[in-house]
Amino acid sequence: MKSKKSFLERKIKPKKFDAFNVINLMLFVGVVVMFIISLGFCIKDLTLSTNKNEYIIPILQRVLAILIAFVPLLLKKIFKIAFPKMATSIFYLFLFLSIYLGTFLNLYQKVESWDIIIHFLFGLIAGFFAMFLINELIKNKEKLSVFLVFIFVFCFSISLGVCWELYEFAFDSLLNLNMQNYQYANGISLVGQNALLDTMLDLSFDFFGAVVSALVCSVCSYKNKKFIFNFKILKLKKQLNNTISQIEE
């Protein structure tokens, strides 16, 4: 039986061409290449600069960004799980918009509304990713409460937004990065509500994104009981065994 199973494992081939595989490969390669190029320019500037310390954080940011881009592959190789292909595409697109355009090309400073757009998208996307957890945690999906969907999606999304602001506050305090825009370019600190404005705008648009995603998920769950099955974390070993069983039958 074991040899038969091994033979079947070797013989299993994709049934048809999947465009999402190509799209995700292109997105992954594109994002990683852009991150590496940005890292290369940063290292080049480091070698030419007299103040080496100012490039430590940018280099660490770029190295971390490259590692983050490999998260879907690491989940697949190490933990044998994978998100649906569309979710993976959204992940790479968000990395491109928020990290590459926002941080590395400095659109957060050049485009006034870029930060709030990214936070709204973050709240929206985080809410939809909450549905994967609901799908894993809830056993009886046929009796899934719409109210539970709304509360869980909203709370999960807004909680991630709060965690991000805590991260910004911590590193602003430790490394004086000014991610929360509490200082002018000349180093003078803002006072009163002006100092809180960036953080509160970020949280507000995290909130709006969380509300929209919670409404969409709850309404779709109410109208279509099978909506939850679109958010399934694929367990690769289990999926392989099911395919083998079907072939044996």
Side-chain angles (χ1 to χ4, degrees):
M1 183 65 183
K2 184 176 180 181
S3 60
K4 184 178 181 181
K5 185 174 180 179
S6 299
F7 173 77
L8 290 169
E9 287 178 356
R10 292 195 299 271
K11 289 296 182 180
I12 292 174
K13 297 180 180 179
K15 293 183 179 180
K16 59 181 181 179
F17 171 77
D18 192 336
F20 264 116
N21 288 332
V22 178
I23 292 171
N24 284 338
L25 178 61
M26 292 174 62
L27 287 171
F28 168 72
V29 172
V31 166
V32 171
V33 167
M34 286 185 289
F35 287 172
I36 291 174
I37 291 173
S38 181
L39 175 62
F41 278 115
C42 201
I43 293 174
K44 178 185 174 182
D45 292 339
L46 169 68
T47 59
L48 299 175
S49 176
T50 55
N51 185 8
K52 308 294 185 183
N53 292 333
E54 67 177 345
Y55 288 96
I56 294 176
I57 298 301
I59 288 175
L60 289 176
Q61 286 177 329
R62 284 152 178 80
V63 171
L64 182 60
I66 293 170
L67 294 176
I68 292 173
F70 278 89
V71 165
L73 289 179
L74 293 175
L75 289 174
K76 189 174 181 179
K77 294 295 182 182
I78 298 175
F79 299 101
K80 304 301 179 184
I81 63 173
F83 287 100
K85 292 161 187 172
M86 183 176 290
T88 306
S89 300
I90 292 171
F91 173 77
Y92 289 131
L93 285 172
F94 188 77
L95 289 187
F96 173 73
L97 294 172
S98 61
I99 297 179
Y100 183 74
L101 294 182
T103 302
F104 297 165
L105 296 188
N106 205 26
L107 286 192
Y108 287 127
Q109 302 298 326
K110 296 177 181 178
V111 180
E112 188 175 350
S113 59
W114 191 257
D115 192 28
I116 59 178
I117 291 172
I118 293 300
H119 275 274
F120 176 79
L121 290 176
F122 177 82
L124 193 66
I125 294 169
F128 284 112
F129 269 83
M131 294 295 290
F132 290 104
L133 292 178
I134 294 178
N135 196 4
E136 289 295 308
L137 296 173
I138 301 299
K139 300 300 181 183
N140 191 355
K141 298 178 180 61
E142 297 297 327
K143 295 182 180 180
L144 184 63
S145 168
V146 176
F147 180 72
L148 182 145
V149 170
F150 182 90
I151 294 298
F152 187 88
V153 169
F154 172 79
C155 290
F156 180 84
S157 178
I158 199 68
S159 296
L160 289 184
V162 171
C163 289
W164 181 259
E165 294 304 316
L166 290 174
Y167 154 78
E168 287 189 348
F169 174 77
F171 279 85
D172 280 352
S173 301
L174 293 172
L175 303 174
N176 195 29
L177 296 180
N178 197 32
M179 288 189 291
Q180 294 183 303
N181 292 322
Y182 65 93
Q183 289 181 336
Y184 293 110
N186 57 12
I188 298 176
S189 297
L190 298 169
V191 179
Q193 284 194 326
N194 289 331
L196 298 172
L197 184 61
D198 181 78
T199 299
M200 295 314 299
L201 281 176
D202 289 350
L203 289 174
S204 296
F205 281 89
D206 287 336
F207 172 86
F208 294 141
V211 168
V212 171
S213 60
L215 283 172
V216 171
C217 291
S218 56
V219 169
C220 290
S221 299
Y222 175 75
K223 290 188 174 182
N224 183 4
K225 295 298 182 183
K226 295 183 179 180
F227 176 72
I228 184 66
F229 294 103
N230 294 317
F231 301 89
K232 188 174 183 180
I233 299 175
L234 306 177
K235 297 176 177 61
L236 301 181
K237 286 184 177 179
K238 185 177 180 180
Q239 187 183 37
L240 177 62
N241 290 335
N242 290 340
T243 306
I244 293 171
S245 299
Q246 291 174 5
I247 294 174
E248 290 177 336
E249 291 173 0

